[in-house]
Amino acid sequence: MARVLISMPERFLNEIDEVAGNENRTRSELIREALRTYMYRNQIRNTQKSIKNAEILESLLG
C-alpha cells in the first residue's frame, strides 16, 4: 500500500485520533473512510449536476 504524507494542525490530528480510538480504528482507517465518503458524495453531486444540466438543455431545445 502506498503512503502519503499530509500536514494538518496538531489539534485536528488529536481530534482524528480521538474519534479513531472511540471507534477502535486506526488513524489510517478513519482517514481512508473519510476520503471514500467525500469522493462518493462528490460523484453523486456531479451526477446530479449533469442530470440537471441535461434537463435544462432538453427544455431549451425542445
Side-chain angles (χ1 to χ4, degrees), residues 11-62:
R11 183 173 170 204
F12 186 51
L13 184 58
N14 291 339
E15 290 179 45
I16 291 169
D17 288 341
E18 185 177 336
V19 171
N22 290 340
E23 296 182 3
N24 295 314
R25 299 161 71 162
T26 65
R27 178 191 293 167
S28 291
E29 288 171 331
L30 181 66
I31 292 171
R32 278 192 300 269
E33 179 64 27
L35 287 171
R36 271 192 222 91
T37 300
Y38 173 83
M39 291 182 339
Y40 174 76
R41 288 180 180 172
N42 192 54
Q43 182 181 26
I44 296 293
R45 196 169 25 253
N46 287 340
T47 300
Q48 290 170 341
K49 284 180 185 176
S50 294
I51 290 170
K52 185 175 181 178
N53 288 343
E55 289 170 350
I56 290 169
L57 182 59
E58 186 176 311
S59 70
L60 290 173
L61 296 176

